[in-house]
Amino acid sequence: MEDARDALDRLDAEITQCRRCPRLVAWREEVAATKRAAFRDEEYWGRPVPGFGPHRAPIAILGLAPAAHGGNRTGRIFTGDRSGDVLFAALHRAGLASQPTSTSRDDGLTLTATRIFAAVRCAPPENKPTPLERDTCAPFLHREMREIAPDLRVVVALGAFAWAAFWPALRAVYGVAPARKVPFGHGALWRIDGAPALLGCYHVSQQNTFTGRLTPGMLDEIFARAKQLAGLT
């Protein structure tokens, strides 16, 4: 019988070969070819970006999609851009990451009890996937959550897009759904027996972190709560 590690490895390999969304394929490959001046000597990943973290993870962090010159460049989610700088620094402070920075796939970073993935696995133009692209990519999220389901206790949704993507995954993997729409908010918490808790967090975008809408202290509170919900404290 295939174990969770093998199943996730196989899923990750399948994700990196996906070409189901023509607009996203064209965009990610165009960005990888034209590059940003600061990275002109680097070879871009230019493919869908798989999840990152251990196969046994009581905490999951769900994002929107890879950044054009971040995950689409490095091949690791939230890696190589300002959003990732903020996120991994917070994870390190929480004791969930081995180092405060994530710069490349071979930088030695490891996560503890935490897996990170995105609702959409390709970098979208203007960070805005279409509803069809979101739905086309959804089975990858559902399969990933299914593989880590035995250990998963809490999902931290980074932003309203990730929050909305959680509900179809909840129905697909756990066969449950809330009785009414649950609004997104920073610190919002939804719980039901037999499924992971959902914890809302403002996205670690530059717009939010530069303006002070999301501060390091606010992130620390979110990950302290996530650890509590996961039974790690």
Side-chain angles (χ1 to χ4, degrees), residues 19 27 43 55 73 80 96 173 183 215 224 233:
R19 301 183 65 84
W27 172 251
E43 181 178 351
H55 67 287
R73 172 174 62 89
L96 299 173
V173 178
T215 66
T233 58

Side-chain angles (χ1 to χ4, degrees), residues 122-193:
C122 290
E126 300 181 344
N127 293 320
K128 294 179 180 179
T130 67
L132 177 60
E133 290 162 350
R134 175 201 62 201
D135 295 345
T136 300
C137 208
F140 288 139
L141 171 60
H142 301 176
R143 286 171 58 186
E144 192 151 5
M145 284 185 57
R146 187 173 291 114
E147 293 302 334
I148 65 174
D151 298 279
L152 187 59
R153 299 293 176 267
V154 56
V155 176
V156 177
L158 297 179
F161 188 98
W163 180 270
F166 172 80
W167 306 112
L170 179 73
R171 288 192 295 271
V173 178
Y174 295 91
V176 297
R180 60 184 64 86
K181 184 177 181 180
V182 183
F184 168 76
H186 183 81
L189 177 64
W190 176 88
R191 305 177 75 174
I192 193 173
D193 290 341

